[in-house]
Amino acid sequence: MYDYLSSLLEDLDGIQQHPKYHPEGDALFHSLQVFQLALQATDDPVIWAAALFHDVGKAVDSPRHAEVGAEMLTGVLNPRIVWLVEHHLDLMRFPQRTRNKFAGEPRLQQLQLLRRLDVGGRDPVARVMDFEDAIQLLKPHHALIAA
């Protein structure tokens, strides 16, 4: 399973993103930045994993990457992580509708945090860890794995 997750991240290496929205460059560099921001922002490994894997679908279908990424992670990661990946663009695409739909639910706060982290991970000169090291940080958290 960890080999599969590593391969998803490795596939993001070299996937270029629109420079207007992602001046930092490729999707792997962005994902690693978002992961490191998550490590600083919270002690919740669900958020850490969602931050690391939120863009894995870009290696397959960039316009539909949230939905595709969620499909790729279903049955592998905890459903809470998969939900965050699937919905990580909702607050950008449909901000008011998303806030109304999930008002009062803890996952709205998680989604808002993930959105802030996603926007924050756009530094072209950031220093990031290797994706293998990121995976190692997640391994002790067995609750991240799908049941």
Side-chain angles (χ1 to χ4, degrees):
M1 189 239 354
Y2 290 108
D3 288 342
Y4 173 70
L5 293 173
S6 291
S7 74
L8 294 179
L9 293 174
E10 191 171 21
D11 288 347
L12 292 177
D13 191 18
I15 300 293
Q16 293 304 310
Q17 304 177 101
H18 194 294
K20 177 180 177 184
Y21 306 107
H22 288 282
E24 74 283 2
D26 77 26
L28 178 59
F29 185 56
H30 166 71
S31 295
L32 291 168
Q33 281 189 59
V34 176
F35 176 70
Q36 287 187 193
L37 291 170
L39 292 175
Q40 295 167 10
T42 182
D43 61 357
D44 185 351
V46 167
I47 299 295
W48 301 348
L52 185 58
F53 296 106
H54 76 282
D55 276 347
V56 294
K58 284 187 176 180
V60 176
D61 184 351
S62 191
R64 294 189 55 250
H65 75 273
E67 297 84 5
V68 170
E71 290 170 15
M72 295 164 74
L73 296 169
T74 296
V76 178
L77 292 179
N78 180 303
R80 291 173 45 214
I81 299 164
V82 173
W83 185 89
L84 287 166
V85 169
E86 182 175 4
H87 294 278
H88 80 271
L89 297 176
D90 289 4
L91 286 165
M92 178 189 73
R93 293 177 178 162
F94 319 107
Q96 194 57 50
R97 181 172 23 159
T98 301
R99 285 186 198 93
N100 290 342
K101 183 175 181 178
F102 302 112
E105 294 186 35
R107 62 186 179 172
L108 176 59
Q109 292 176 336
Q110 291 179 320
L111 195 59
Q112 289 170 323
L113 175 56
L114 182 58
R115 179 72 190 138
R116 284 193 304 275
L117 298 169
D118 190 10
V119 170
R122 298 178 184 187
D123 182 353
V125 296
R127 296 182 56 92
V128 298
M129 68 180 73
D130 294 330
F131 70 84
E132 294 95 346
D133 293 335
I135 295 281
Q136 289 300 319
L137 289 173
L138 295 177
K139 280 186 177 181
H141 303 280
H142 300 290
L144 299 179
I145 307 308

